[in-house]
Amino acid sequence: MHPPTPPPTPSPPAPPSTTSSTVMKQTTWPYKSGSPQFTALPFINKPHKKFTKDPKIHQLNFTSKLSSSSSSSFSSTSKCKDPDFSSLPYDVLARIAASFSLPNLQSASLVCRAWRDALRPLREAMLFLKWGKRFKHGRGGVKPNLSKALDSFLKGAARGSTMAMVDAGLIYWEMGKKEEGIEWYRKAAELGNPAGQCNLGISYLQADPPNAKEAIAWLYQASVAGHVRAQYQLALCLHQGRGLDQNLQEAARWYLRAAEGGYVRAMYNTSLCYSFGEGLVQSHRLARKWMKKAADRGHSKAQFEHGLGLFSEGEMMKAVVYLELAMRAGETAAAHVKNVIVQQLSATSRDRAIHLADNWRALPSIR
């Protein structure tokens, strides 16, 4: 027999004529697949393993594995012991906690009984520190008394508080006993207190003769720890080339960090850096921004400069407010400019500007 003749391959339909008014539905013909021919592997009939039907055997195997794994995990975890905080030496713990605030001391005292006993002197120091500040500033219903304040700070310092050491050094410095003040600054600085490090660095700058290199070393430690006044002082040294080579870029960087931390003098200097392009890319917008921040926080020169800027922009009444504030803070040059602007304002605007100046309050800042 002859094999059957395959049916003829249909020819694709002719494309519709563009001149015909009737649009016919076209069928999309599938393209031939270009994929290779795959051949299926034949199935191999392998004999399956016969599983036992006895459930006890499976249960025994499972429980034996579970018991062995649990015993091994228990033995591994039993080897790990909880850390013994009480084994920390008292002197090491006292040195670590010397700069702790009262809330941190209270939290650390709850760790274990040994820590509670070791930190008792520092908790007592916090009470002396509190009373020392009351006597120094006349708070809490007591009159200012520097001698009693110093006595309280010294008692707190004797119990290991670096904050009390710094306050004792401040009083000695204000009393003119700078050697005693520097000694307490040094003790606090060596225990890692950033305020003590900053004050010690500044005391080296103000010494006769000044020791700028030693000052830079302590100011840098405090700056890295985030002390904004130390950052500002370090920037001044870099700007002026005191104790190290002048570096305007580094100076501007530390000015900016201190300004972002709320130090008002650094805000003013950051504005100048942006204004003149010293160490920072020149930007009048950022210069005005930082000048206003410093002015709103009571910097008299910034108030004068910001008032002049407002005057040049045509903001007459606002300019009078800032110039009035600068004049009251001692900027004598602001008086002349203010009087010139006042003559151009109406009586209502003048009264409004003075009223705003009378009720102005500086934003919180660090000085």
Side-chain angles (χ1 to χ4, degrees):
M1 294 178 64
H2 296 284
T5 304
T9 304
S11 58
S17 174
T18 56
T19 59
S20 175
S21 59
T22 304
V23 179
M24 300 178 64
K25 293 183 180 180
Q26 300 185 41
T27 304
T28 303
W29 289 85
Y31 292 97
K32 291 184 179 180
S33 173
S35 60
Q37 298 292 328
F38 290 96
T39 56
L41 296 175
F43 286 102
I44 301 176
N45 295 325
K46 291 185 178 180
H48 296 284
K49 293 182 179 180
K50 294 183 179 181
F51 295 97
T52 177
K53 296 182 180 180
D54 190 358
K56 294 182 179 179
I57 298 177
H58 295 289
Q59 186 177 3
L60 289 173
N61 292 335
F62 176 74
T63 53
S64 62
K65 291 180 181 179
L66 179 62
S67 60
S68 61
S69 61
S70 61
S71 61
S72 61
S73 62
F74 176 77
S75 61
S76 61
T77 55
S78 62
K79 294 179 182 179
C80 299
K81 296 182 179 179
D82 293 333
D84 186 7
F85 293 104
S86 61
S87 61
L88 191 65
Y90 277 22
D91 57 340
V92 175
L93 178 60
R95 186 180 181 88
I96 294 173
S99 298
F100 280 11
S101 61
L102 181 58
N104 290 336
L105 280 174
Q106 291 173 340
S107 299
S109 300
L110 297 175
V111 173
C112 61
R113 184 173 182 178
W115 281 33
R116 184 189 64 189
D117 296 339
L119 297 177
R120 182 178 298 164
L122 285 173
R123 293 197 302 272
E124 294 175 356
M126 291 295 103
L127 295 177
F128 286 111
L129 180 67
K130 181 179 179 180
W131 276 102
K133 290 185 179 296
R134 285 183 177 180
F135 283 121
K136 182 178 180 180
H137 302 289
R139 299 172 182 169
V142 298
K143 295 181 179 180
N145 191 321
L146 279 184
S147 62
K148 289 185 177 181
L150 178 59
D151 182 65
S152 297
F153 289 144
L154 290 176
K155 289 179 179 178
R159 285 163 173 78
S161 171
T162 58
M163 290 182 284
M165 296 176 190
V166 173
D167 282 327
L170 282 171
I171 291 185
Y172 274 126
W173 189 274
E174 293 171 0
M175 295 170 61
K177 300 179 179 180
K178 295 186 177 181
E179 293 298 328
E180 289 87 342
I182 292 174
E183 188 61 29
W184 282 112
Y185 290 156
R186 184 183 303 280
K187 290 181 179 180
E190 290 174 349
L191 288 171
N193 185 282
Q197 294 168 347
C198 176
N199 290 1
L200 183 60
I202 293 174
S203 65
Y204 276 120
L205 290 175
Q206 297 178 358
D208 188 19
N211 189 341
K213 290 186 177 180
E214 192 71 17
I216 293 296
W218 288 109
L219 288 174
Y220 182 77
Q221 290 189 44
S223 298
V224 172
H227 197 278
V228 292
R229 189 185 180 196
Q231 292 170 351
Y232 173 74
Q233 292 293 334
L234 179 62
L236 283 178
C237 292
L238 288 163
H239 200 166
Q240 300 168 0
R242 296 186 64 184
L244 69 174
D245 295 335
Q246 186 183 41
N247 191 327
L248 297 181
Q249 285 75 19
E250 279 295 302
R253 186 172 72 90
W254 285 111
Y255 280 142
L256 184 58
R257 286 187 63 176
E260 291 172 344
Y263 199 70
V264 65
R265 295 181 183 178
M267 295 177 187
Y268 178 74
N269 285 19
T270 300
S271 173
L272 296 180
C273 289
Y274 275 120
S275 180
F276 298 107
E278 288 191 356
L280 295 171
V281 178
Q282 190 174 30
S283 172
H284 295 295
R285 180 183 64 84
L286 292 175
R288 288 194 300 270
K289 167 191 168 183
W290 284 109
M291 189 66 73
K292 185 179 185 304
K293 283 180 175 290
D296 289 340
R297 285 157 179 80
H299 195 284
S300 60
K301 290 184 178 179
Q303 290 170 341
F304 178 46
E305 296 285 346
H306 187 56
L308 291 177
L310 290 170
F311 173 56
S312 64
E313 295 171 0
E315 297 284 348
M316 300 299 184
M317 193 175 74
K318 291 182 179 179
V320 170
V321 174
Y322 282 97
L323 291 171
E324 176 70 19
L325 293 173
M327 186 185 68
R328 294 179 183 182
E331 297 294 330
T332 56
H336 174 70
V337 183
K338 189 204 77 169
N339 293 333
V340 172
I341 301 174
V342 164
Q343 295 176 2
Q344 305 177 27
L345 296 177
S346 63
T348 304
S349 297
R350 288 197 299 268
D351 294 340
R352 175 63 176 166
I354 299 301
H355 175 74
L356 290 174
D358 291 338
N359 292 276
W360 179 85
R361 295 292 181 272
L363 294 177
S365 63
I366 303 174
R367 294 178 177 272

